[in-house]
């Protein structure tokens, strides 16, 4: 079973994405901030990470940089409520960029594609 790490400080989004990805057959780990995400990267060993850009401790761009240092091949999907981050060249290190929505179809399709399942 493929593992997805969902990183978001907003509980409702974290729980929604976690439940929907679990329903798709993935084992899901949840992190509330960047530090927890980096710790779970080592212990949970996800196959893909969905990462909020705005986090309370370490911003998602810095977490992305640290993930790339540890494992350059793990796919990372950046998520944000703010479309303007798409212009930030630091986000280009991610494998995909999605504006947050309660409709999780784009997220699920992107995860499947990046894991080579669709």
């Amino acid at each position: 079973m493929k593992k997805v790490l969902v990183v978001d400080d907003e509980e409702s989004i974290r729980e929604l994405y976690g439940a929907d990805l679990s329903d798709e057959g993935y084992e899901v780990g949840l992190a509330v901030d960047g530090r927890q995400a980096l710790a779970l990267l080592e212990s949970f060993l996800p196959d893909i990470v969905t990462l909020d850009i705005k986090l309370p401790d370490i911003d998602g761009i810095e977490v992305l940089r640290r993930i790339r240092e540890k494992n350059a091949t793990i796919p990372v999907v950046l998520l944000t409520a703010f479309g303007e981050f798409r212009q930030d060249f630091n986000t280009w290190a991610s494998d995909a960029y999605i504006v947050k929505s309660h409709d999780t179809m784009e997220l699920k399709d992107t995860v499947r594609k990046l894991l080579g399942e669709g």
Side-chain angles (χ1 to χ4, degrees):
M1 178 183 296
K2 299 278 185 166
K3 295 180 178 183
V4 180
L5 176 58
V6 175
V7 185
D8 202 299
D9 61 321
E10 201 174 322
E11 184 178 6
S12 61
I13 294 288
R14 192 173 59 248
E15 295 296 328
L16 172 67
Y17 290 177
D20 280 12
L21 289 165
S22 183
D23 288 348
E24 292 290 307
Y26 300 109
E27 184 177 342
V28 177
L30 302 175
V32 301
D33 59 30
R35 283 183 179 76
Q36 189 176 27
L38 293 170
L40 283 172
L41 194 67
E42 302 292 324
S43 61
F44 182 65
L45 301 173
D47 296 292
I48 190 169
V49 177
T50 70
L51 178 61
D52 187 13
I53 291 178
K54 291 214 175 212
L55 295 170
D57 58 350
I58 309 168
D59 76 20
I61 302 296
E62 177 63 18
V63 174
L64 171 62
R65 188 185 66 74
R66 293 184 192 183
I67 289 171
R68 290 289 181 241
E69 285 176 358
K70 292 175 186 273
N71 183 343
T73 63
I74 188 169
V76 177
V77 179
L78 285 179
L79 298 160
T80 186
F82 307 98
E84 74 269 8
F85 281 103
R86 198 178 302 261
Q87 311 307 323
D88 183 340
F89 75 92
N90 290 307
T91 66
W92 300 354
S94 69
D95 296 279
Y97 182 100
I98 297 174
V99 175
K100 285 185 193 179
S101 170
H102 285 359
D103 177 357
T104 60
M105 189 59 66
E106 182 181 10
L107 174 64
K108 292 185 290 190
D109 288 346
T110 300
V111 167
R112 267 194 303 276
K113 184 181 100 182
L114 290 173
L115 291 175
E117 301 174 339

